[in-house]
Amino acid sequence: VGLGPFAETVPTSGKVGTAVNILGYDMTGATSVTFHGTPAVFTVVSSSLITTTVPAGAHTGTVHVSTPQGNLKSNVPFTVIP
């Protein structure tokens, strides 16, 4: 369908501190996860799953994952609930 690589967040919204799963492809060796530019602490569980929490200071926007294979961004914006 012409789509490039992307990541999916589950859930797609939450408050600071909410646990988030990031689903994607070939994410082994990921070097960073950001919520609209705000860095998050994360764990690579498998090549298709990263776990993280919404970091303090995060704003609604795209979640980015940097991997050795390239950069992935969320297919829908993540909504940070105040």
Side-chain angles (χ1 to χ4, degrees), residues 10-55:
V10 178
T12 57
S13 64
K15 295 180 178 188
V16 168
T18 298
V20 178
N21 289 328
I22 301 173
L23 307 172
Y25 176 76
D26 205 10
M27 297 190 297
T28 301
T31 56
S32 75
V33 171
T34 61
F35 283 70
H36 197 65
T38 303
V41 175
F42 66 95
T43 301
V44 178
V45 177
S46 70
S47 65
S48 60
L49 174 63
I50 290 175
T51 59
T52 187
T53 58
V54 180

